[in-house]
Amino acid sequence: MKTILKINNLKKAYHTKRDEILAVDNFSFDLCEGEFVAIVGPSGCGKSTILSILSGLESKSDGQIIKDEKLKIGYMLQEDALFDNRTILDNCLLGLEINKNLTNDNKKYVLDLLKTYGLEYFINSYPENLSGGMRQRCALIRTLATKPDILLLDEPFSALDYQTRLAVSDDVYNILKKEKKSAIIVTHDLAEAISIADRIIVLSKRPATIKTIFEINLTDKSTPINNRKAKEFSYYYDLIWKEIDHHV
């Protein structure tokens, strides 16, 4: 597979009046086209910091991030961050408005996404009228509207109840695969990571360094819900669970 993103020896340090706090150190990996990578690790180890750096919201202290200049990165935050005073369509068009790229073609692309993924009849509704799962689909469509090549997903299902979380993870996975996007997801849910990812990166406690990278090979791999039924699922769960520094 074609490599579309290379990260070499990424480092992030925060400076206080007294000292330096190292959050991420020597983080290196390559992302391939169409690949879904999950990042797991103990709470507070620096998972979200890595996504913030890749998205450009934070600066790196050292290291290299190598990608084609034309390659676009989209960032889907933990909360759906929909604006209550904007309709669903207007929420989905927000990124295009900010980038001053709201053309007729791009608006049609968003309308097509809303139709394809079950929100066609809600375009004039407001966020308060949508279920949690529908709000997450709306947030994803808003991210896809700018046509990114790579999606960064920071705990995108954590605010949902368990059943909705499973259904929405299937939705998001299918949408990203259908749209042929690459993705990096940060999650605390190991079962979610195994069910959705091609590879799982396990981080150490802070400063975050890569402990292990697992290739996830499931029999008859399909959607996240079905992948949880694969015979290899419990094997990967036990194997990766032992790698995570839970008690820190």
Side-chain angles (χ1 to χ4, degrees), residues 60-114:
K60 58 184 174 62
S61 299
D62 200 0
Q64 292 179 304
I65 299 173
I66 304 169
K67 64 180 181 66
D68 190 291
E69 290 183 1
K70 295 180 180 179
L71 186 139
K72 294 182 181 179
I73 293 179
Y75 195 3
M76 185 173 167
L77 300 170
Q78 187 170 349
E79 300 294 332
D80 59 57
L82 301 179
F83 287 89
D84 293 335
N85 62 340
R86 294 177 68 100
T87 65
I88 297 310
L89 176 59
D90 287 341
N91 266 289
C92 291
L93 296 175
L94 184 61
L96 293 170
E97 290 178 16
I98 292 172
N99 293 333
K100 297 181 180 179
N101 198 22
L102 185 52
T103 64
N104 288 333
D105 285 345
N106 285 337
K107 185 174 181 179
K108 182 181 182 301
Y109 174 67
V110 170
L111 286 168
D112 287 344
L113 287 175
L114 288 163

Side-chain angles (χ1 to χ4, degrees), residues 158-174:
S158 61
L160 305 174
D161 63 78
Y162 182 71
Q163 284 187 319
T164 304
R165 183 173 185 143
L166 289 178
V168 175
S169 68
D170 257 31
D171 281 347
V172 170
Y173 180 87
N174 289 330

Side-chain angles (χ1 to χ4, degrees), residues 31-246:
L31 179 70
C32 295
E33 193 172 48
E35 188 179 26
F36 215 125
V37 171
I39 300 177
V40 301
S43 296
C45 72
K47 299 185 292 295
S48 294
T49 299
I50 292 168
L51 293 194
S52 293
I53 293 170
L54 293 178
S55 68
L57 293 178
E58 289 193 48
S59 61
K60 58 184 174 62
S61 299
D62 200 0
Q64 292 179 304
I65 299 173
I66 304 169
K67 64 180 181 66
D68 190 291
E69 290 183 1
K70 295 180 180 179
L71 186 139
K72 294 182 181 179
I73 293 179
Y75 195 3
M76 185 173 167
L77 300 170
Q78 187 170 349
E79 300 294 332
D80 59 57
L82 301 179
F83 287 89
D84 293 335
N85 62 340
R86 294 177 68 100
T87 65
I88 297 310
L89 176 59
D90 287 341
N91 266 289
C92 291
L93 296 175
L94 184 61
L96 293 170
E97 290 178 16
I98 292 172
N99 293 333
K100 297 181 180 179
N101 198 22
L102 185 52
T103 64
N104 288 333
D105 285 345
N106 285 337
K107 185 174 181 179
K108 182 181 182 301
Y109 174 67
V110 170
L111 286 168
D112 287 344
L113 287 175
L114 288 163
K115 181 178 180 179
T116 300
Y117 301 116
L119 293 174
E120 178 184 11
Y121 299 108
F122 296 90
I123 61 174
N124 295 316
S125 299
Y126 290 85
E128 65 181 3
N129 303 125
L130 269 61
S131 67
M134 293 167 76
R135 290 176 66 109
Q136 288 300 97
R137 267 185 280 159
C138 179
L140 178 61
I141 289 169
R142 180 184 57 196
T143 307
L144 290 173
T146 58
K147 299 181 181 178
D149 303 286
I150 299 173
L151 266 290
L152 306 178
L153 309 169
D154 191 358
E155 294 278 359
F157 318 124
S158 61
L160 305 174
D161 63 78
Y162 182 71
Q163 284 187 319
T164 304
R165 183 173 185 143
L166 289 178
V168 175
S169 68
D170 257 31
D171 281 347
V172 170
Y173 180 87
N174 289 330
I175 290 170
L176 294 183
K177 287 299 181 183
K178 187 174 186 299
E179 300 299 321
K180 298 179 180 179
K181 304 298 181 182
S182 304
I184 303 172
I185 181 172
V186 159
T187 179
H188 284 90
D189 188 332
L190 182 53
E192 183 173 88
I194 296 168
S195 71
I196 209 167
D198 300 303
R199 284 190 293 161
I200 295 178
I201 298 172
V202 180
L203 298 182
S204 67
K205 61 183 180 180
R206 195 174 67 184
T209 59
I210 295 177
K211 290 186 69 177
T212 319
I213 298 179
F214 291 93
E215 298 272 352
I216 305 299
N217 297 304
L218 303 176
T219 302
D220 299 324
K221 190 169 184 177
S222 57
T223 65
I225 289 178
N226 287 331
N227 290 342
R228 292 170 185 252
K229 303 171 187 175
K231 62 183 180 180
E232 301 89 355
F233 186 88
S234 59
Y235 163 77
Y236 283 117
Y237 192 98
D238 291 340
L239 185 66
I240 300 171
W241 177 263
K242 293 172 184 176
E243 283 291 307
I244 300 174
D245 298 319
H246 293 283

